[in-house]
Amino acid sequence: MSYFESLLIRFLIVCHPQLVDDSLFIFERSDEAFSIYRELLERGVKEYAAYDLAIAVLFDEL
């Protein structure tokens, strides 16, 4: 389980328990967040800024 996946699941347990069992949603959202994070780091964006943007993607519209 990835860091972003774990973070999303913990958030869903508290705020959106109806989504906790939606493994496709969790996988896709956490994979997208990790991809953004990795891509930004490869482009030279500072780690904290890449993290902030990845978190924004992870929790978008939640």
Side-chain angles (χ1 to χ4, degrees):
M1 178 179 303
S2 75
Y3 170 77
F4 290 111
E5 190 175 355
S6 175
L7 191 61
L8 180 57
I9 289 170
R10 288 194 313 254
F11 175 79
L12 293 177
I13 287 169
V14 173
C15 298
H16 298 283
Q18 72 279 9
L19 294 175
V20 170
D21 293 327
D22 190 343
S23 56
L24 181 61
F25 170 76
I26 293 169
F27 172 77
E28 288 178 345
R29 187 61 71 92
S30 60
D31 187 58
E32 183 180 5
F34 177 70
S35 294
I36 295 286
Y37 179 73
R38 185 182 62 225
E39 180 182 329
L40 291 171
L41 289 179
E42 288 172 358
R43 290 183 180 187
V45 173
K46 296 205 184 273
E47 187 175 346
Y48 67 87
Y51 178 81
D52 285 348
L53 291 171
I55 292 299
V57 167
L58 189 65
F59 297 128
D60 185 41
E61 296 187 20
L62 291 176

